[in-house]
Amino acid sequence: MRRRKIINVLLNLLVVAILIVTLFPFFIMLTTALKTDAASVAYPPELWPGEITFQHFQDIVNPMIFPFFRYLANSFLIAFITAVASVIICSLGGYSLAKLNFFGKRQIHNVTLVVYMFSGILLIVPLFQIFNSIGLIDNRFAVILACLVSSMPAALSMLVSYFQKIPDSIEEAARIDGLNRVQVIFKVVMPLSVPGIMSVFSYVFMQAWNNFLFANTFLSSMEKQTLIIGMRNLFTSQDYVWGRMMVASLLTAIPVIIVFSLVERFISGGRLDGGVKG
Amino acid sequence: MKRWKKKSPLTMKKKESILGFLLILPVILLIAFVVLYPIIYNVKISFFDVALNPNKPDIFIGWENYIDLLTDKEFYKVLVVTILFVAATVILSTALGLGVALLFNRKFRFRGAARALVMLSFVTPAVSLVYVWKYMFNGLYGIVNYALVDVLHILETAPAWFDNIVFAFISVVIFDTWRLYPYAFMTILAALQTIDTSLYEAAKIDGAGAWARFRYVTLPEIMPTIATIATLRMIWNFYKFDEIYLLTQQLPVIGVYLYKTSFASNDFGMAAAITVILFVIVMSLVFLLRKVVFKKNET
Amino acid sequence: MKKRASKIIAMIMAASMLAGCGAGASGDSGKSEDGKVTIEFMHDEAEEDRMAVYDEIIKDFMAENPDIEVKQTAISEDGFEDKVKTLISAGEMPAIVAGSTSLMQLLDGEEMINTKANKEVVEERGRDDFYEQVLSLLNAQDGEGMIGVPISTWVNGIWYRKDLFAEKGLNPPETWEDILTAAKTFHDPDNKMYGIMFGTEEGAIAQNNFELFAGSNGAQLFDEEGNVQFTSPEMKETMEFYKELYQYSLPGSNGTTQIRDAMVGGNTAMCVYSSYILAPLYNAEMGEKIGYCVPENTQKSVYSSPSIYTISNTISDEETEAAKKFISYMLTDEVNIKVLHIAPGGPQPVMKSVAENPEYRDADVLQVYGEEIDKIADALNYINVFGTQDGITDSHIGAISNSMIISKAINQILVQDQDMDEMMQIAQEDMEKEISR
């Protein structure tokens, strides 16, 4: 029993150590956000700012310097719709690949992986031409489409492996109860897969939220630009201000973290063996 | 009666087949629309010397791009560096993800919060992380050099973190591992939690110790997940460009090489040729990885 | 089941809404139904406060020209050229694009700009009012027109701590000897003080800074026949000098961030940087301590990169006229000063009348620096950049600059400690290859 306790303590310490190492850069982000300009490039560097300033936070939400809320709205719109669309399309597709047999299934599954190998830079120029010819340039829908497809292989893979873990016995049981295939999918399998689906939701949301390449290429008017484009402007401008850059980074990361935490809470309940034992 | 029995199973199977096809149709359509044309486009222009202006003619040069590429020493160097980079980051981030997932698979206080915090480095935009690192590693006011050189005296002078190819490699691998391990962590943890606890009980009854339980129960159960993560990561990292380019100019990987060729030198034809060749290489590597390392016989 | 259905419906609705409001937004240039001509103006100053000034200017212009509508699009600097290239490959080019000489040379090479219209705008204003050195950067490859209209330009040079120099009784860092002496005197790495900071990373700033010193030694990139001569004696002397200077600098691949932070933080006595350093130094309340200098070995020389507006040749005649009007408007004294005051001290006037206009001097940032501002304006007389000789600019210099061959050589020799002759020879060959493409 004693030994167990010691091991437990050690393991907990390990968790703390890992957290400290992983989060150190974020600590730096926070302290620099609170430092004055002079302090941020001063030597020796202070671990905690001697003089705390909230000027950078004020600056970032000042529309004259950084139209934070406009960027936020655009980013959210794009990320949310992409994630919802992805979840719907990839759940259906994922189930199909995991559980059903049809002509050409193997090839199609391989093709989706292959798609992953064509990285963004190569798609940009021809995609721009396609979207341009149908008038989708400077339209957030173009970004949604591109983000949707580029995250599809990952989303599909995740859902396929998740669905594969659902024992056939559950579905059999439902079939015996008189449900047809489609009903089994929607009434039995999907509810059980909520954790997996939510994980995919948060993953796709994040990819679309952080996307720079497509947003930068397909959008041009200022009203449509996203948070990540705004941030890049901030970082590469001649008038860069470390404090502002750090604040922008923190604020841009927060919405995604919130989404992840919400999903996390949602998932923590779901366990699969509940279904089997019942 | 006999005839009716015969028909029924066939129709069922066919119905399912159609359903299966329908369900995957949106995926196929999207991919065809958004990716197929660019792929064909790239294959086509790989045989041309492409002018930016669409009104200027593209000059047909046949296999010249490919020949130039395959005889360029620089290309092979880039390839080797990339493969090393991919191997290092995939192994390290998966291993670290596995370790941390196992660690977090127990109950402890604030576990939920801790799990959310670990995800931070994965979730934050790359550009923010890169700049924070550059800030921390700055030769003058960077806290890392301050700590290592001036306070702890572990090193004599600040090393060239991003400046020579060896250090740049190490720094970028560390950065990338730090950034990506939460993905492995998250996925493996989810998989760990779906393992039927009765399997562990059975193993314990058979007298298996902690290590044996891990090897014979945990590992096989999560192997498919690990295989998927490793494969996806590998492909993703092979073309990685953004973060590396922002961090250092001294690590020649495929992503950077591709960018320099297409946008910096405006040679889209050559860039397309590189893509086609890379595609063949990556396909082979994926095949190798899945068949040999993970011994999978089906997707 | 219901949940899923409503989700699907919501998505379709949202998508069609977006598509609807998006479809209307396509079509940047053209004539709309009410007879108005619309032109798009694309530039890389994506900071909110700068765009606000452009908005104001555009509003005033449109008030004076009710039949013209101008739309501004700002793309951040690091993605700007990529965006332009993507646009071009789709055959779309905004009516007016603002950029650097290398971008303009690229566009000229791809035959996308109206070199004649550009020249007309300059001539209408009057060639004599412009600094001839700036105009000589802009000849088109057809030998006739101009690749763009210069609106402003920045120059680089040596910025030094007047106060520290005075303490030690040192000469201003003009001659190579004085520069070295000063760098040696102040170099004290143990106390985090460096002699001089300059560009050593594989980026544009390394080449720009190097051109400053190469020019001061009379080194030209091309010989009379237009061949690359990177391994000439003058170039090599400059590289030797550079190597020595590097000893008194912060080791590593230094770019704009490292250089500016060091100067603002008071950790270096001198730095080589563009005139854009004036604002950050002013913000750090160091204005009075800063002096400006143009290096001179066999001659005085500075590097300069004008902000150039160019007119696309893919637009209609009405749009071309509208574009010409807008650019001419930007060249009028009052408006030009407004543009220059967006980041006072950074962009310098390209027209002598504006430089001498007292309204131009009337900005806090400029006041603080006093007579140094005169020196900076005067520096435009010594513009000497690679590729420009005898008033003509070689059309390949843009491609060479974009390829970073020279910056790479500098980085290899200084930071990676490679053999100087070998690296310069490699750079020479790479540049020859680039030209023959």
Side-chain angles (χ1 to χ4, degrees):
Chain A
M1 206 52 209
R2 237 289 177 80
R3 194 162 155 255
R4 251 253 172 105
K5 243 193 171 177
I6 296 182
I7 293 185
N8 237 14
V9 170
L10 280 177
L11 288 179
N12 282 346
L13 278 178
L14 197 55
V15 169
V16 174
I18 289 185
L19 282 179
I20 292 181
V21 169
T22 285
L23 297 177
F24 187 65
F26 294 95
F27 176 70
I28 296 288
M29 256 193 230
L30 185 63
T31 55
T32 312
L34 296 170
K35 279 187 188 172
T36 59
D37 285 342
S40 57
V41 297
Y43 178 83
E46 309 169 293
L47 199 58
W48 185 259
E51 181 192 328
I52 294 191
T53 172
F54 289 101
Q55 185 63 46
H56 303 301
F57 282 93
Q58 287 174 348
D59 287 342
I60 283 294
V61 292
N62 174 356
M64 262 290 75
I65 297 180
F66 191 76
F68 179 70
F69 294 103
R70 192 208 314 150
Y71 287 148
L72 186 70
N74 283 327
S75 287
F76 189 80
L77 194 71
I78 292 178
F80 186 77
I81 296 184
T82 307
V84 168
S86 178
V87 156
I88 294 175
I89 296 179
C90 294
S91 314
L92 299 179
Y95 180 84
S96 165
L97 287 177
K99 296 278 182 174
L100 298 172
N101 282 307
F102 52 91
F103 183 71
K105 167 174 155 172
R106 198 90 174 293
Q107 286 74 7
I108 293 179
H109 198 178
N110 287 334
V111 163
T112 55
L113 209 55
V114 158
V115 161
Y116 213 29
M117 302 183 198
F118 281 86
S119 88
I121 304 180
L122 307 156
L123 300 180
I124 282 299
V125 173
L127 258 188
F128 187 86
Q129 291 175 1
I130 304 178
F131 286 150
N132 195 36
S133 60
I134 58 179
L136 267 187
I137 290 302
D138 202 25
N139 187 333
R140 282 162 292 203
F141 193 55
V143 183
I144 291 176
L145 212 53
C147 288
L148 182 62
V149 177
S150 68
S151 60
M152 203 173 274
L156 260 183
S157 293
M158 288 197 265
L159 283 171
V160 165
S161 56
Y162 199 84
F163 285 133
Q164 276 173 344
K165 280 208 219 76
I166 296 183
D168 290 335
S169 49
I170 298 185
E171 295 182 67
E172 295 289 316
R175 298 288 286 284
I176 292 175
D177 279 350
L179 298 169
N180 68 29
R181 195 51 120 156
V182 177
Q183 288 174 312
V184 168
I185 296 178
F186 285 102
K187 291 204 167 161
V188 177
V189 178
M190 290 299 167
L192 270 179
S193 317
V194 165
I197 293 179
M198 296 310 285
S199 307
V200 169
F201 180 86
S202 44
Y203 176 78
V204 177
F205 185 89
M206 180 203 77
Q207 294 279 53
W209 183 269
N210 288 341
N211 177 275
F212 175 73
L213 193 63
F214 297 130
N216 187 47
T217 310
F218 300 137
L219 298 173
S220 33
S221 53
M222 303 319 297
E223 303 86 53
K224 310 220 171 106
Q225 309 234 346
T226 63
L227 214 44
I228 198 110
I229 295 182
M231 264 207 335
R232 274 288 253 260
N233 292 349
L234 208 61
F235 281 45
T236 54
S237 110
Q238 289 270 8
D239 312 326
Y240 67 87
V241 175
W242 282 112
R244 281 188 209 163
M245 288 154 68
M246 301 300 182
V247 172
S249 304
L250 289 169
L251 292 183
T252 306
I254 288 179
V256 188
I257 296 178
I258 294 180
V259 169
F260 265 82
S261 321
L262 286 177
V263 167
E264 185 55 44
R265 215 174 277 182
F266 217 82
I267 296 183
S268 292
R271 290 194 146 259
L272 195 55
D273 36 35
V276 178
K277 283 187 181 154
Chain B
M1 200 83 174
K2 248 197 181 168
R3 248 190 262 135
W4 191 77
K5 259 199 175 159
K6 243 203 196 159
K7 250 194 183 172
S8 161
L10 263 176
T11 322
M12 242 330 195
K13 229 192 179 171
K14 250 210 165 150
K15 253 196 189 165
E16 302 228 321
S17 208
I18 297 176
L19 180 66
F21 201 72
L22 278 179
L23 289 181
I24 196 93
L25 199 60
V27 171
I28 299 180
L29 285 178
L30 275 172
I31 291 181
F33 177 59
V34 177
V35 180
L36 204 66
Y37 172 68
I39 295 180
I40 298 176
Y41 172 87
N42 272 302
V43 171
K44 173 173 152 233
I45 66 170
S46 70
F47 296 106
F48 285 78
D49 180 4
V50 183
L52 272 188
N53 184 344
N55 296 324
K56 273 175 99 183
D58 296 337
I59 309 170
F60 180 73
I61 54 172
W63 294 98
E64 200 178 302
N65 278 330
Y66 290 95
I67 296 176
D68 282 344
L69 190 64
L70 292 172
T71 54
D72 184 11
K73 269 197 298 179
E74 184 75 24
F75 178 62
Y76 292 104
K77 175 174 164 199
V78 170
L79 211 51
V80 169
V81 173
T82 309
I83 292 180
L84 286 175
F85 170 73
V86 170
T89 47
V90 171
I91 294 175
L92 284 176
S93 68
T94 311
L96 190 58
L98 178 61
V100 179
L102 288 171
L103 193 61
F104 275 55
N105 199 21
R106 325 152 17 244
K107 283 208 178 349
F108 57 85
R109 254 214 272 168
F110 303 122
R111 183 170 80 160
R115 277 169 32 175
L117 285 177
V118 164
M119 299 299 297
L120 262 180
S121 60
F122 182 57
V123 151
T124 313
V127 59
S128 304
L129 298 176
V130 166
Y131 273 80
V132 146
W133 271 59
K134 286 178 105 157
Y135 179 77
M136 292 195 309
F137 283 83
N138 179 286
L140 263 180
Y141 49 76
I143 196 140
V144 173
N145 292 326
Y146 179 61
L148 290 177
V149 179
D150 302 320
V151 175
L152 299 173
H153 298 295
I154 295 179
L155 299 169
E156 247 212 58
T157 55
W161 295 106
F162 301 107
D163 270 330
N164 73 52
I165 193 168
V166 174
F167 265 102
F169 183 82
I170 298 176
S171 309
V172 176
V173 166
I174 295 180
F175 178 84
D176 207 64
T177 306
W178 170 68
R179 175 141 166 61
L180 295 178
Y181 89 86
Y183 173 70
F185 159 75
M186 168 181 93
T187 322
I188 294 179
L189 189 59
L192 281 177
Q193 302 200 309
T194 60
I195 298 180
D196 200 346
T197 40
S198 58
L199 289 173
Y200 285 116
E201 318 238 317
K204 261 199 212 161
I205 291 173
D206 281 348
W211 174 249
R213 287 205 299 275
F214 174 71
R215 227 185 125 201
Y216 295 112
V217 178
T218 317
L219 217 49
E221 285 287 308
I222 58 177
M223 218 18 126
T225 313
I226 294 187
T228 313
I229 295 174
T231 313
L232 287 178
R233 239 337 118 208
M234 195 192 87
I235 302 177
W236 189 244
N237 272 19
F238 209 80
Y239 292 96
K240 184 161 286 233
F241 157 68
D242 246 357
E243 289 135 53
I244 304 180
Y245 191 68
L246 284 176
L247 267 178
T248 173
Q249 302 287 349
Q250 298 306 323
L251 191 67
V253 285
I254 285 287
V256 176
Y257 187 67
L258 207 54
Y259 175 79
K260 282 191 179 167
T261 317
S262 51
F263 278 99
S265 308
N266 306 322
D267 197 351
F268 285 101
M270 174 63 101
I274 297 174
T275 313
V276 173
I277 293 201
L278 283 180
F279 173 70
V280 173
I281 296 178
V282 174
M283 274 283 271
S284 332
L285 283 177
V286 169
F287 189 72
L288 211 73
L289 191 70
R290 287 166 89 81
K291 274 284 166 82
V292 176
V293 178
F294 291 110
K295 305 199 178 67
K296 292 173 81 75
N297 286 313
E298 45 155 290
T299 42
Chain C
M1 185 73 180
K2 265 197 173 156
K3 239 187 176 180
R4 178 92 349 125
S6 51
K7 256 191 187 171
I8 298 180
I9 294 175
M11 183 200 105
I12 296 180
M13 272 175 46
S16 42
M17 262 201 311
L18 284 175
C21 63
S26 64
D28 319 293
S29 296
K31 212 165 180 170
S32 51
E33 265 109 47
D34 51 1
K36 256 189 171 191
V37 178
T38 315
I39 51 174
E40 188 187 0
F41 161 50
M42 196 161 111
H43 62 89
D44 67 354
E45 292 183 85
E47 292 87 1
E48 288 301 309
D49 48 352
R50 297 192 188 186
M51 295 197 298
V53 176
Y54 285 118
D55 265 335
E56 231 187 271
I57 295 179
I58 290 176
K59 228 188 268 170
D60 291 339
F61 173 76
M62 295 202 294
E64 278 181 35
N65 295 277
D67 55 341
I68 302 179
E69 173 146 351
V70 180
K71 257 182 64 182
Q72 82 163 301
T73 307
I75 310 280
S76 94
E77 204 184 313
D78 72 333
F80 187 72
E81 302 214 348
D82 296 347
K83 183 79 186 258
V84 172
K85 289 176 195 176
T86 312
L87 279 172
I88 295 176
S89 352
E92 296 270 334
M93 174 148 149
I96 304 176
V97 174
S100 63
T101 35
S102 43
L103 179 64
M104 297 308 154
Q105 281 200 332
L106 171 71
L107 295 176
D108 190 28
E110 296 290 333
E111 294 164 20
M112 305 278 314
I113 55 187
N114 189 336
T115 56
K116 189 154 155 267
N118 290 330
K119 187 161 172 196
E120 282 164 12
V121 174
V122 170
E123 289 183 340
E124 210 189 292
R125 167 78 189 191
R127 278 190 86 100
D128 298 328
D129 197 23
F130 288 89
Y131 286 92
E132 193 57 43
Q133 292 82 350
V134 174
L135 291 183
S136 67
L137 300 170
L138 305 173
N139 53 277
Q141 62 179 11
D142 59 12
E144 289 262 331
M146 297 179 71
I147 57 180
V149 181
I151 301 294
S152 66
T153 188
W154 57 257
V155 290
N156 66 1
I158 303 181
W159 308 87
Y160 66 100
R161 292 285 299 273
K162 265 195 309 206
D163 53 335
L164 297 178
F165 272 61
E167 268 173 41
K168 303 268 183 171
L170 289 167
N171 290 333
E174 271 176 17
T175 66
W176 282 17
E177 225 191 278
D178 286 335
I179 298 174
L180 270 176
T181 315
K184 221 183 286 191
T185 314
F186 290 107
H187 191 62
D188 187 11
D190 291 328
N191 287 319
K192 296 291 176 186
M193 188 65 179
Y194 297 92
I196 183 168
M197 293 284 292
F198 54 92
T200 53
E201 66 171 14
E202 255 190 67
I205 193 169
Q207 182 180 326
N208 299 346
N209 288 172
F210 184 72
E211 292 194 37
L212 181 70
F213 292 103
S216 70
N217 198 30
Q220 300 278 22
L221 188 61
F222 297 97
D223 64 15
E224 290 98 28
E225 277 104 49
N227 298 319
V228 179
Q229 47 169 23
F230 193 57
T231 45
S232 70
E234 291 88 8
M235 283 288 184
K236 292 209 169 176
E237 277 164 14
T238 314
M239 196 59 86
E240 296 271 10
F241 174 65
Y242 231 40
K243 268 181 83 166
E244 233 197 296
L245 266 186
Y246 181 67
Q247 292 191 42
Y248 306 112
S249 182
L250 175 71
S253 296
N254 296 322
T256 50
T257 315
Q258 286 80 2
I259 302 175
R260 194 189 101 170
D261 284 347
M263 195 70 187
V264 170
N267 295 100
T268 180
M270 295 181 280
C271 77
V272 182
Y273 203 88
S274 72
S275 38
Y276 274 94
I277 200 150
L278 289 177
L281 287 173
Y282 167 78
N283 288 335
E285 289 166 17
M286 290 171 74
E288 286 121 12
K289 304 186 195 160
I290 304 295
Y292 172 80
C293 228
V294 175
E296 174 179 4
N297 202 26
T298 56
Q299 61 184 45
K300 281 188 187 233
S301 153
V302 292
Y303 173 82
S304 176
S305 178
S307 170
I308 305 173
Y309 288 12
T310 197
I311 303 175
S312 155
N313 65 5
T314 61
I315 54 182
S316 70
D317 289 339
E318 291 102 10
E319 289 161 341
T320 310
E321 279 309 307
K324 283 171 70 176
K325 278 208 189 121
F326 183 68
I327 300 183
S328 302
Y329 185 72
M330 288 295 230
L331 288 176
T332 58
D333 274 25
E334 202 189 305
V335 182
N336 199 251
I337 292 181
K338 240 197 205 154
V339 173
L340 295 172
H341 280 179
I342 288 179
Q348 296 291 315
V350 289
M351 295 171 285
K352 298 178 199 146
S353 57
V354 174
E356 285 154 22
N357 190 323
E359 296 236 340
Y360 167 64
R361 292 307 172 88
D362 194 22
D364 293 333
V365 177
L366 298 175
Q367 298 285 12
V368 161
Y369 289 96
E371 40 176 49
E372 304 297 331
I373 301 295
D374 294 317
K375 288 196 208 150
I376 302 173
D378 182 52
L380 267 82
N381 290 315
Y382 305 110
I383 294 179
N384 184 354
V385 306
F386 281 177
T388 305
Q389 286 151 223
D390 304 319
I392 307 265
T393 303
D394 189 295
S395 58
H396 296 108
I397 187 63
I400 290 185
S401 301
N402 279 338
S403 62
M404 303 291 176
I405 296 175
I406 298 179
S407 300
K408 183 159 183 214
I410 295 172
N411 184 272
Q412 291 287 316
I413 297 172
L414 264 50
V415 182
Q416 314 290 346
D417 218 9
Q418 299 289 321
D419 178 66
M420 184 182 99
D421 292 311
E422 203 188 311
M423 291 298 126
M424 289 182 83
Q425 182 58 32
I426 293 179
Q428 167 81 16
E429 286 163 18
D430 284 341
M431 281 189 266
E432 283 166 3
K433 239 197 289 183
E434 185 69 37
I435 293 190
S436 61
R437 277 191 57 204

